[in-house]
Amino acid sequence: MYYYIIKVLLYWIEALKGSPGVPNHTPKDKKMNQQEIVTLMESSKSETEWNANCAKVKKACGDYPSFWHSAIVTSGLANRVAKSFGSSADIKISSWSRKPIQGLHGRPTSMPYIAKGDKVIGVYNQGLGKKDALCNSLEDMQRLYDSYASGMALTLEWFIENHSELTVATS
């Protein structure tokens, strides 16, 4: 019995030392070099694969390596690869904002005036937290209100949601 305990202890000691003979061992100093990373990123065939490859790089290096920006972004590699699968390496910053609709009491009789790209959102609470309902028409708003009025929700609030996006070119 002591033989097996000693074997297990020796196994763990070797694992803590960083012995390459221990199964599933990855040395802590194993980092991908610049050429390996460039080759990996160039092999991406979709945005999903690009993101998975980014995760591999970050896992191997602890984060993006110091040469990432020059080797991947400013070199044009990111844009070239992204274009190959119909995308862009530009940075997109999105923001959503909500403004309460003032003066809307009772069952809606008309759709509020909204700017192009804005949406009418009904926020209702059935006792389990708030949920959003997108209302594309007056009928949608009235259906949501009728459900609230018949006791299907505790509260109902109306908002106009605005989505804006800023694109920052990376090249």
Side-chain angles (χ1 to χ4, degrees), residues 95-108:
S95 74
W96 288 264
S97 63
R98 285 192 175 170
K99 296 177 190 158
I101 299 175
Q102 303 296 325
L104 182 57
H105 306 285
R107 190 171 197 261

Side-chain angles (χ1 to χ4, degrees), residues 16-100:
L16 291 173
K17 282 188 200 173
S19 170
V22 176
N24 300 323
H25 172 73
T26 305
K28 291 180 182 171
D29 62 347
K30 172 63 177 131
K31 289 187 179 185
M32 298 172 77
N33 66 38
Q34 183 170 340
Q35 186 54 49
E36 289 171 323
I37 291 172
V38 167
T39 302
L40 177 67
M41 299 314 295
E42 283 178 327
S43 74
S44 302
K45 302 290 184 232
S46 68
E47 187 170 347
T48 302
E49 188 176 2
W50 175 272
N51 291 337
N53 288 340
C54 286
K56 289 176 189 174
V57 169
K58 289 170 70 176
K59 184 176 180 180
C61 300
D63 200 352
Y64 290 113
S66 59
F67 56 81
W68 178 267
H69 194 264
S70 61
I72 305 297
V73 180
T74 57
S75 70
L77 184 143
N79 261 331
R80 188 172 64 254
V81 172
K83 284 180 184 174
S84 75
F85 49 80
S87 192
S88 165
D90 293 342
I91 299 169
K92 293 182 179 81
I93 303 168
S94 296
S95 74
W96 288 264
S97 63
R98 285 192 175 170
K99 296 177 190 158

Side-chain angles (χ1 to χ4, degrees), residues 1 13 15 36 44 50 70 100 102 106 123 130 133 142 149 161-162:
M1 179 170 148
I13 290 169
E36 289 171 323
S44 302
W50 175 272
S70 61
Q102 303 296 325
V123 178
K130 293 182 177 184
Q142 290 174 335
E161 185 174 83
N162 174 276

